[in-house]
Amino acid sequence: MSDQITITIDGRQINVMPGLKLLWAALDNGIYIPHLCAIREEIRPNASCRLCFVEIEGSKHPVTSCTKTVEENMVVKTRSPRIDRLVKTAFELIISDHNLKCNECPANKNCVLQTIAKERGLRLKQKRFKSIVREFELDDSPEVFAFDRSRCVLCGQCIWADRVEAKVGAIGFTNRGIKRMVTTFKDLPLADSICTQCTLCVDACPVGALYYKKDRKEAGS
Amino acid sequence: MSNLTPLVSYEKLRSEAVLATNADAEKTRVLVGTATCGVAAGALQVKEDFIREIGAKGLDAEVIEVGCMGHCYAEPLAVIAKPGFPPICYGHLDNGLVHRLVEDFLAGDDPCYEYAMAALEPNDVFPTFAEFPRGVYEQKLILEQCGFIDARNIDSYLARDGYSALAQALEGEPQQVLAEIKQANLRGRGGAGFPAGLKWEACIKSGGEQIYVICNADEGDPGAFMDRSILESDPHLVLEGMILCAYAVGSGKGFLYIRAEYPRAVTHVQEAIDQARAKGLLGTKILGSDFSFDLEIFQGSGAFVCGEATALVNSMEGKMGMPESRPPRLAQKGYRGRPTVLNNVKTFAYVPLIIKNGADWFKAIGTPDSPGTAVFSLVGKVVNTGLVEVPMGTTLRQLIFDVGDGLPNGREFKAVQIGGPSGGCLPETALDVPIDFDSLQEAGAIMGSGGLVVMAQDDCMVAVARYFLEFTQHESCGKCTFCRLGTKQMLDILTDITQGKGDDQTLALLEELSEDVRDGSLCNLGRTAPNPVLTTLKYFRDEYEAHIKEGRCPALVCHDLILYYILPRKCSKLCNVCVGSCPTEAIFTREDGLKEINQEKCVKCDNCLKACPPEYTAVVKLSPPILPPEKERKN
Amino acid sequence: MQLVEGEKEVIIACVNEVLKEKEKTTENLIPILQNVQARLGYLPSLAMEMIAADLAVPAADVFGLATFYNQFRLSPPGKHQVKVCLGTACYMVGGKIALESFERRMEIREGETSVDRLYSLERVACVGCCTMAPVVVVDEVVEGKVTPTRVDGIMLALQENGDTKKSEMKTDLPDEGEGKNK
């Protein structure tokens, strides 16, 4: 299309629609940038996972590609020693707060964290940081799915699904800082909340925090 | 009023105020400083004492509550203004002293100079504050009236030409106000020092029908309280600054975001708003002009992160106080999606002064790049604690040793922490750094909101860094990875170090992680959180190493690395003070009559060390926590 | 938490009153919560549900706010509230020691309310009286220079005046002083 603009990512020239955020421009063109919290439809991106850093020529500091709108002739690098260092630390910090028993996890082999590790050559079993995974009671109250908060990476995808797609409003973020979590009103089990168990949130979860119980999975596949 | 020009309307208000406040000029007045700090020291009691004593003597004297004069070290304070005498300030008041002052000075004519701190006006008999050695360095602009006017009576402000800058501005064009502020190069006092004029201009350029003006009074830096003090002591100065800003940018509505921990400030500001509205200084057609603007208070709910601009706006909109990625900036898209001016309390307080006296007057104070004054709350191990206002460019050494009169009890200076949890710790070698936005940043600290904590040799820099990290970690909103998890990991590493744990890699990891949290966080809370760690690692690395390598806390602070010990050769058999002081009954009397501490029971509360009489000083702290050989202990 | 008889009615009446005073916008959500807490001392979940319904926001969001901000509490406070300041200045001169002393005397930890609901103990970031450090706020009254022995004094005063308000206590003091002067 004529109104497209041209940008360069990692030496590759690509044509994209103006107004698009850089992250989606890259992903749409098969260039991988790690990300967890980004939602294409969101007007003001969360920018909370801090994994999608890139370097843009002319910018002093690394920028998050989910918040950066593409500009004509923008020259972008998705890898550099600085970017790699930031992404590695962000990733390892997330891992330090994530229940790493992958072989017990229904999302094993289908987990965004594993994808990021593979794409960027990072180790899931990081050694720099102490594990600070919190203990939560498993919420398996819904009929077909369950919620294991020890695997939650606080990306907010489930809340978006609940609010914007399902229009229910059963779950949200609560607390502050290290205690931040996704939960229902009064921390009720999902089945006791206003949750309709539509499972859109389960489909949105990039890791194995919200997952289908076994029987359903088998029935589905 | 509609036929009158703003200046004429104003002049009428002012002369009424002068009349109202001077009606009893012949009356003796007692001004008691009852800002929160004064109240904490017992000022309300002092006020009651004055009223009672004056009543008992049947004297004709008025007792008025005023704000904070900044001489907090001498609270409770009062000024006695008796006709025929210069107004004199007395500190450390108690009911004995109040009784004496009423009897000798108010009833008699003896000003009790032996108890006086200073006079407030030049005179032949007693020195003023300006004649104190520190007076040479101080220059009060925005604190000038604090503690000297009745904060709860608008007439008190009006009678001293308050709101004249507004009247003057309303006679001219809004652009003139903007031009003056830009010309003055007034830099935002919230910490980062962004020029206020440029911010205002950006808002005007964003345009639209509604622009909001918000005053950030969510002063959350632990250790800074000047915003509270100004709001409690001289609220109209801030209101006038906000109204002027609103006039300049064409705003009709403004808010003061005041933290809930400051109930007194909320009360005073609300009263000030009501009084200003009643006088036609707020609301529709201010002073008879075509300009309308009104103000409202929004009370913060206690989240440090709400000091961050986008988080503050979110919180005002009824959401969690979470920062957003920028751009867009507030000047483009702020409160209710409209262009918004957000400035700190102090920034607004300078505005009326600049409009009244001109940009050149302002620029003649301070340094070329940071004109004006800097306000600090001087606390910690320093003699003259309180609020100080000095021209930018004053050195830290002058501030601490000349204005603050150095450290108490012969303590030796170790470091100064500037800018709160976002700032840094600077050592002795950095004391000649001039105080201005850019020099401090170069040294690794920031101006921040002006908290300045002096630390002595008995303060542990690792513990201090840990304290600040604990604070930021506790106050992190939890949105972004680096701040939520990074500060937590940093805190855990620091906690380990204060317990003597760690290896060769620990400091390298801490430094690396600090840099990544600085570079990777979403907002300035996270980005500046590592500053206390990075600066202490830079200037006091040996202390970190002593903890890790020797299990020793050089400042004898870290609980896990010290123990309390009673020196047998210094302990007196005749004294029992320490035994009584111990909350856990850990101290016992040995068969030989000397005292000893049961280390199992000791909670290291420091009571016994404080209680041991100075003639013995038998209680000491040892680090690493190893008791002397038994032979010595038997002694 | 189980509400005792009568509590429910009090909550409903209070929330309705507050909701009547304020315009129904999400911008008023925090002021409404502040108002309700000022009257009830805490935010009962019933109140949060009523407010959410009235403002047409998810109850989960009201719960989110109530757990995000330091000011809000979800359980009733003790009869006497002690807030220990742990701002920099207070921390440096023994704020933590004061906190620990209170914890020992009240036999609870920071953030808790004693079983008899007599005391609750909190830490606050800074009450802005740094020069009086260490500072504690006892039932809205700011006390400066609080050493462990002063903690004992405060606790004693609270115990003795279990039923009297702090302000009444304070007025007792000058009489003593006067006696000394005469």
Side-chain angles (χ1 to χ4, degrees), chain C residues 129-159:
Chain C
C129 307
C130 310
T131 56
M132 301 297 302
V135 168
V136 305
V137 186
V138 183
D139 295 337
E140 307 299 315
V141 179
V142 180
E143 304 263 0
K145 313 227 188 249
V146 179
T147 56
T149 36
R150 182 86 193 90
V151 169
D152 293 345
I154 291 170
M155 288 302 295
L156 210 63
L158 287 180
Q159 277 155 16

mmCIF file of all heavy atoms in Angstrom, chain C residues 129-159:
data_model
loop_
_atom_site.group_PDB
_atom_site.id
_atom_site.type_symbol
_atom_site.label_atom_id
_atom_site.label_comp_id
_atom_site.label_asym_id
_atom_site.label_seq_id
_atom_site.Cartn_x
_atom_site.Cartn_y
_atom_site.Cartn_z
ATOM 1 N N CYS C 129 7.501 14.912 60.665
ATOM 2 C CA CYS C 129 7.990 15.593 61.878
ATOM 3 C C CYS C 129 9.386 15.098 62.165
ATOM 4 O O CYS C 129 9.711 14.714 63.288
ATOM 5 C CB CYS C 129 7.136 15.268 63.084
ATOM 6 S SG CYS C 129 5.426 15.552 62.838
ATOM 7 N N CYS C 130 10.219 15.088 61.127
ATOM 8 C CA CYS C 130 11.502 14.406 61.200
ATOM 9 C C CYS C 130 12.395 14.925 62.332
ATOM 10 O O CYS C 130 13.246 14.221 62.827
ATOM 11 C CB CYS C 130 12.219 14.547 59.871
ATOM 12 S SG CYS C 130 11.173 14.108 58.492
ATOM 13 N N THR C 131 12.179 16.184 62.697
ATOM 14 C CA THR C 131 13.071 16.727 63.712
ATOM 15 C C THR C 131 12.708 16.227 65.099
ATOM 16 O O THR C 131 13.463 16.414 66.036
ATOM 17 C CB THR C 131 13.021 18.255 63.696
ATOM 18 O OG1 THR C 131 11.666 18.655 63.874
ATOM 19 C CG2 THR C 131 13.525 18.787 62.378
ATOM 20 N N MET C 132 11.534 15.611 65.219
ATOM 21 C CA MET C 132 11.131 15.079 66.519
ATOM 22 C C MET C 132 11.415 13.578 66.590
ATOM 23 O O MET C 132 10.936 12.892 67.476
ATOM 24 C CB MET C 132 9.634 15.294 66.742
ATOM 25 C CG MET C 132 9.178 16.726 66.704
ATOM 26 S SD MET C 132 9.930 17.686 68.005
ATOM 27 C CE MET C 132 9.366 16.739 69.403
ATOM 28 N N ALA C 133 12.144 13.072 65.645
ATOM 29 C CA ALA C 133 12.355 11.638 65.504
ATOM 30 C C ALA C 133 12.960 11.011 66.765
ATOM 31 O O ALA C 133 13.738 11.663 67.450
ATOM 32 C CB ALA C 133 13.279 11.376 64.312
ATOM 33 N N PRO C 134 12.630 9.750 67.063
ATOM 34 C CA PRO C 134 11.608 8.952 66.379
ATOM 35 C C PRO C 134 10.201 9.334 66.821
ATOM 36 O O PRO C 134 9.970 9.646 67.980
ATOM 37 C CB PRO C 134 11.937 7.519 66.802
ATOM 38 C CG PRO C 134 12.676 7.642 68.072
ATOM 39 C CD PRO C 134 13.314 8.993 68.104
ATOM 40 N N VAL C 135 9.289 9.267 65.855
ATOM 41 C CA VAL C 135 7.937 9.755 66.064
ATOM 42 C C VAL C 135 6.949 8.597 65.998
ATOM 43 O O VAL C 135 7.107 7.702 65.185
ATOM 44 C CB VAL C 135 7.597 10.784 64.958
ATOM 45 C CG1 VAL C 135 6.118 11.095 64.943
ATOM 46 C CG2 VAL C 135 8.401 12.052 65.145
ATOM 47 N N VAL C 136 5.960 8.603 66.883
ATOM 48 C CA VAL C 136 4.841 7.683 66.718
ATOM 49 C C VAL C 136 3.544 8.476 66.808
ATOM 50 O O VAL C 136 3.500 9.528 67.431
ATOM 51 C CB VAL C 136 4.821 6.524 67.761
ATOM 52 C CG1 VAL C 136 6.111 5.755 67.759
ATOM 53 C CG2 VAL C 136 4.513 7.053 69.139
ATOM 54 N N VAL C 137 2.526 7.987 66.129
ATOM 55 C CA VAL C 137 1.221 8.643 66.189
ATOM 56 C C VAL C 137 0.302 7.730 66.986
ATOM 57 O O VAL C 137 0.031 6.604 66.583
ATOM 58 C CB VAL C 137 0.642 8.881 64.781
ATOM 59 C CG1 VAL C 137 -0.640 9.688 64.861
ATOM 60 C CG2 VAL C 137 1.661 9.592 63.903
ATOM 61 N N VAL C 138 -0.107 8.211 68.145
ATOM 62 C CA VAL C 138 -0.970 7.422 69.018
ATOM 63 C C VAL C 138 -2.365 8.030 68.959
ATOM 64 O O VAL C 138 -2.576 9.157 69.420
ATOM 65 C CB VAL C 138 -0.449 7.441 70.465
ATOM 66 C CG1 VAL C 138 -1.316 6.556 71.350
ATOM 67 C CG2 VAL C 138 1.001 6.992 70.527
ATOM 68 N N ASP C 139 -3.287 7.308 68.369
ATOM 69 C CA ASP C 139 -4.662 7.814 68.213
ATOM 70 C C ASP C 139 -4.675 9.254 67.712
ATOM 71 O O ASP C 139 -5.248 10.143 68.343
ATOM 72 C CB ASP C 139 -5.428 7.724 69.534
ATOM 73 C CG ASP C 139 -5.621 6.280 69.970
ATOM 74 O OD1 ASP C 139 -5.581 5.394 69.098
ATOM 75 O OD2 ASP C 139 -5.805 6.042 71.168
ATOM 76 N N GLU C 140 -4.000 9.510 66.607
ATOM 77 C CA GLU C 140 -3.960 10.822 65.942
ATOM 78 C C GLU C 140 -3.092 11.859 66.660
ATOM 79 O O GLU C 140 -2.955 12.983 66.214
ATOM 80 C CB GLU C 140 -5.363 11.424 65.735
ATOM 81 C CG GLU C 140 -6.367 10.499 65.029
ATOM 82 C CD GLU C 140 -5.957 10.089 63.633
ATOM 83 O OE1 GLU C 140 -5.513 10.967 62.886
ATOM 84 O OE2 GLU C 140 -6.056 8.898 63.307
ATOM 85 N N VAL C 141 -2.553 11.530 67.830
ATOM 86 C CA VAL C 141 -1.676 12.484 68.514
ATOM 87 C C VAL C 141 -0.224 12.116 68.207
ATOM 88 O O VAL C 141 0.188 10.976 68.388
ATOM 89 C CB VAL C 141 -1.912 12.462 70.040
ATOM 90 C CG1 VAL C 141 -0.977 13.441 70.735
ATOM 91 C CG2 VAL C 141 -3.359 12.787 70.344
ATOM 92 N N VAL C 142 0.521 13.111 67.713
ATOM 93 C CA VAL C 142 1.910 12.837 67.358
ATOM 94 C C VAL C 142 2.794 12.936 68.593
ATOM 95 O O VAL C 142 2.766 13.923 69.318
ATOM 96 C CB VAL C 142 2.402 13.828 66.287
ATOM 97 C CG1 VAL C 142 3.840 13.536 65.919
ATOM 98 C CG2 VAL C 142 1.520 13.769 65.056
ATOM 99 N N GLU C 143 3.543 11.893 68.861
ATOM 100 C CA GLU C 143 4.476 11.902 69.987
ATOM 101 C C GLU C 143 5.888 11.863 69.444
ATOM 102 O O GLU C 143 6.208 11.026 68.605
ATOM 103 C CB GLU C 143 4.260 10.655 70.866
ATOM 104 C CG GLU C 143 2.853 10.481 71.381
ATOM 105 C CD GLU C 143 2.689 11.015 72.801
ATOM 106 O OE1 GLU C 143 3.686 11.521 73.359
ATOM 107 O OE2 GLU C 143 1.571 10.942 73.331
ATOM 108 N N GLY C 144 6.724 12.762 69.928
ATOM 109 C CA GLY C 144 8.093 12.825 69.432
ATOM 110 C C GLY C 144 9.084 12.189 70.389
ATOM 111 O O GLY C 144 8.769 11.929 71.547
ATOM 112 N N LYS C 145 10.292 11.932 69.881
ATOM 113 C CA LYS C 145 11.409 11.396 70.665
ATOM 114 C C LYS C 145 11.002 10.176 71.501
ATOM 115 O O LYS C 145 11.090 10.164 72.721
ATOM 116 C CB LYS C 145 11.978 12.484 71.578
ATOM 117 C CG LYS C 145 12.207 13.801 70.835
ATOM 118 C CD LYS C 145 13.568 14.391 71.135
ATOM 119 C CE LYS C 145 13.713 15.764 70.554
ATOM 120 N NZ LYS C 145 14.618 15.938 69.464
ATOM 121 N N VAL C 146 10.507 9.177 70.816
ATOM 122 C CA VAL C 146 9.983 8.008 71.512
ATOM 123 C C VAL C 146 11.073 6.949 71.718
ATOM 124 O O VAL C 146 11.472 6.267 70.788
ATOM 125 C CB VAL C 146 8.792 7.398 70.739
ATOM 126 C CG1 VAL C 146 8.262 6.176 71.452
ATOM 127 C CG2 VAL C 146 7.698 8.434 70.587
ATOM 128 N N THR C 147 11.556 6.860 72.934
ATOM 129 C CA THR C 147 12.531 5.839 73.318
ATOM 130 C C THR C 147 11.765 4.633 73.870
ATOM 131 O O THR C 147 10.565 4.753 74.141
ATOM 132 C CB THR C 147 13.437 6.383 74.427
ATOM 133 O OG1 THR C 147 12.581 6.801 75.505
ATOM 134 C CG2 THR C 147 14.248 7.573 73.943
ATOM 135 N N PRO C 148 12.429 3.492 74.042
ATOM 136 C CA PRO C 148 11.710 2.338 74.597
ATOM 137 C C PRO C 148 11.037 2.644 75.937
ATOM 138 O O PRO C 148 9.942 2.149 76.215
ATOM 139 C CB PRO C 148 12.805 1.289 74.748
ATOM 140 C CG PRO C 148 13.779 1.624 73.675
ATOM 141 C CD PRO C 148 13.773 3.120 73.590
ATOM 142 N N THR C 149 11.647 3.467 76.756
ATOM 143 C CA THR C 149 11.004 3.775 78.038
ATOM 144 C C THR C 149 9.747 4.614 77.814
ATOM 145 O O THR C 149 8.758 4.461 78.513
ATOM 146 C CB THR C 149 11.966 4.529 78.984
ATOM 147 O OG1 THR C 149 12.778 5.398 78.206
ATOM 148 C CG2 THR C 149 12.836 3.569 79.744
ATOM 149 N N ARG C 150 9.793 5.481 76.807
ATOM 150 C CA ARG C 150 8.617 6.279 76.472
ATOM 151 C C ARG C 150 7.502 5.365 75.942
ATOM 152 O O ARG C 150 6.327 5.610 76.183
ATOM 153 C CB ARG C 150 8.999 7.336 75.432
ATOM 154 C CG ARG C 150 7.890 8.270 75.022
ATOM 155 C CD ARG C 150 7.750 9.479 75.945
ATOM 156 N NE ARG C 150 6.486 10.163 75.679
ATOM 157 C CZ ARG C 150 5.341 9.898 76.287
ATOM 158 N NH1 ARG C 150 5.303 8.981 77.234
ATOM 159 N NH2 ARG C 150 4.244 10.547 75.980
ATOM 160 N N VAL C 151 7.907 4.322 75.234
ATOM 161 C CA VAL C 151 6.921 3.347 74.758
ATOM 162 C C VAL C 151 6.171 2.766 75.954
ATOM 163 O O VAL C 151 4.942 2.684 75.950
ATOM 164 C CB VAL C 151 7.598 2.212 73.954
ATOM 165 C CG1 VAL C 151 6.616 1.069 73.700
ATOM 166 C CG2 VAL C 151 8.139 2.749 72.650
ATOM 167 N N ASP C 152 6.917 2.425 76.991
ATOM 168 C CA ASP C 152 6.275 1.889 78.193
ATOM 169 C C ASP C 152 5.301 2.909 78.764
ATOM 170 O O ASP C 152 4.204 2.567 79.187
ATOM 171 C CB ASP C 152 7.338 1.518 79.240
ATOM 172 C CG ASP C 152 8.189 0.344 78.774
ATOM 173 O OD1 ASP C 152 7.774 -0.325 77.802
ATOM 174 O OD2 ASP C 152 9.250 0.106 79.357
ATOM 175 N N GLY C 153 5.713 4.167 78.768
ATOM 176 C CA GLY C 153 4.853 5.231 79.282
ATOM 177 C C GLY C 153 3.577 5.352 78.476
ATOM 178 O O GLY C 153 2.478 5.464 79.031
ATOM 179 N N ILE C 154 3.718 5.316 77.149
ATOM 180 C CA ILE C 154 2.554 5.436 76.275
ATOM 181 C C ILE C 154 1.592 4.275 76.521
ATOM 182 O O ILE C 154 0.390 4.453 76.654
ATOM 183 C CB ILE C 154 2.987 5.473 74.788
ATOM 184 C CG1 ILE C 154 3.724 6.790 74.494
ATOM 185 C CG2 ILE C 154 1.791 5.313 73.858
ATOM 186 C CD1 ILE C 154 4.414 6.835 73.141
ATOM 187 N N MET C 155 2.166 3.075 76.609
ATOM 188 C CA MET C 155 1.336 1.890 76.817
ATOM 189 C C MET C 155 0.597 1.976 78.154
ATOM 190 O O MET C 155 -0.576 1.634 78.249
ATOM 191 C CB MET C 155 2.193 0.626 76.782
ATOM 192 C CG MET C 155 2.703 0.252 75.410
ATOM 193 S SD MET C 155 1.381 -0.007 74.213
ATOM 194 C CE MET C 155 0.573 -1.448 74.891
ATOM 195 N N LEU C 156 1.295 2.457 79.156
ATOM 196 C CA LEU C 156 0.710 2.588 80.487
ATOM 197 C C LEU C 156 -0.463 3.563 80.430
ATOM 198 O O LEU C 156 -1.539 3.293 80.958
ATOM 199 C CB LEU C 156 1.788 3.103 81.458
ATOM 200 C CG LEU C 156 1.634 2.661 82.907
ATOM 201 C CD1 LEU C 156 1.766 1.155 82.992
ATOM 202 C CD2 LEU C 156 2.687 3.350 83.770
ATOM 203 N N ALA C 157 -0.240 4.682 79.739
ATOM 204 C CA ALA C 157 -1.287 5.698 79.626
ATOM 205 C C ALA C 157 -2.497 5.116 78.894
ATOM 206 O O ALA C 157 -3.642 5.360 79.272
ATOM 207 C CB ALA C 157 -0.761 6.920 78.892
ATOM 208 N N LEU C 158 -2.240 4.328 77.841
ATOM 209 C CA LEU C 158 -3.343 3.739 77.088
ATOM 210 C C LEU C 158 -4.119 2.746 77.946
ATOM 211 O O LEU C 158 -5.337 2.679 77.894
ATOM 212 C CB LEU C 158 -2.816 3.043 75.833
ATOM 213 C CG LEU C 158 -2.330 3.937 74.697
ATOM 214 C CD1 LEU C 158 -1.838 3.086 73.537
ATOM 215 C CD2 LEU C 158 -3.422 4.880 74.220
ATOM 216 N N GLN C 159 -3.380 1.983 78.758
ATOM 217 C CA GLN C 159 -4.040 0.998 79.609
ATOM 218 C C GLN C 159 -4.885 1.683 80.670
ATOM 219 O O GLN C 159 -6.031 1.355 80.899
ATOM 220 C CB GLN C 159 -3.004 0.096 80.285
ATOM 221 C CG GLN C 159 -2.547 -1.031 79.390
ATOM 222 C CD GLN C 159 -1.168 -1.539 79.755
ATOM 223 O OE1 GLN C 159 -0.658 -1.272 80.834
ATOM 224 N NE2 GLN C 159 -0.555 -2.268 78.846
#
